[in-house]
Amino acid sequence: MCKCECKKDENVEVTDEMMAAMLGCVFGEIISDIIDDIAEEEADVSISQNIDLEKEIENVVFNDPATIVFWKDGTKTVTKCHAGDTFNKETGLAMCIIRKLCNNKHFNNVFEKYCN
């Protein structure tokens, strides 16, 4: 909560600077919490540099337009080729791996930003 000594005084004119300081005090904690939440979400996206994919993949199924990866942890990841695109096994497998590594979060934004 706010750690400042904010007091209401009828005889004091509140300047823009004072208002900004008060709002900063009140909303600073809220903004800090939001930033912490975003940082925690981003931490979930971290990618380990030491993953041995061959030991993580149980099976891969290519069924145009889909690629399905069955993982040894019991989960599966599915990617599909968009209409008008050409099915490619390597691209499908790569997209499944990226989805898995990113927990299906935030990876689309990177492709949209740099590829479109």
Side-chain angles (χ1 to χ4, degrees), residues 72-90:
K72 290 193 177 174
D73 67 3
T75 61
K76 73 177 178 180
T77 305
V78 179
T79 59
K80 292 184 180 179
C81 182
H82 288 267
D85 288 343
T86 302
F87 178 75
N88 180 292
K89 289 182 178 183
E90 288 180 7

Side-chain angles (χ1 to χ4, degrees), residues 89-113:
K89 289 182 178 183
E90 288 180 7
T91 302
L93 178 57
M95 293 303 294
C96 282
I97 291 168
I98 291 168
R99 286 185 101 152
K100 177 69 171 179
L101 292 177
C102 295
N103 296 319
N104 287 325
K105 297 179 185 174
H106 307 293
F107 76 97
N108 280 338
N109 299 345
V110 174
F111 286 97
E112 288 175 9
K113 179 178 179 178

Side-chain angles (χ1 to χ4, degrees), residues 10 20 22 28 46 56 71 74 78 106-107 114:
E10 302 288 331
M22 288 186 283
S46 65
E56 300 293 327
W71 302 94
V78 179
H106 307 293
F107 76 97
Y114 292 104

Side-chain angles (χ1 to χ4, degrees), residues 3-35:
K3 295 180 176 117
C4 68
E5 297 293 324
C6 301
K7 297 179 183 176
K8 183 178 180 183
D9 188 339
E10 302 288 331
N11 300 323
V12 175
E13 181 180 335
V14 178
T15 65
D16 289 343
E17 291 82 14
M18 292 170 69
M19 184 60 75
M22 288 186 283
L23 289 173
C25 184
V26 172
F27 291 108
E29 190 73 24
I30 295 169
I31 292 168
S32 176
D33 290 346
I34 291 169
I35 291 170

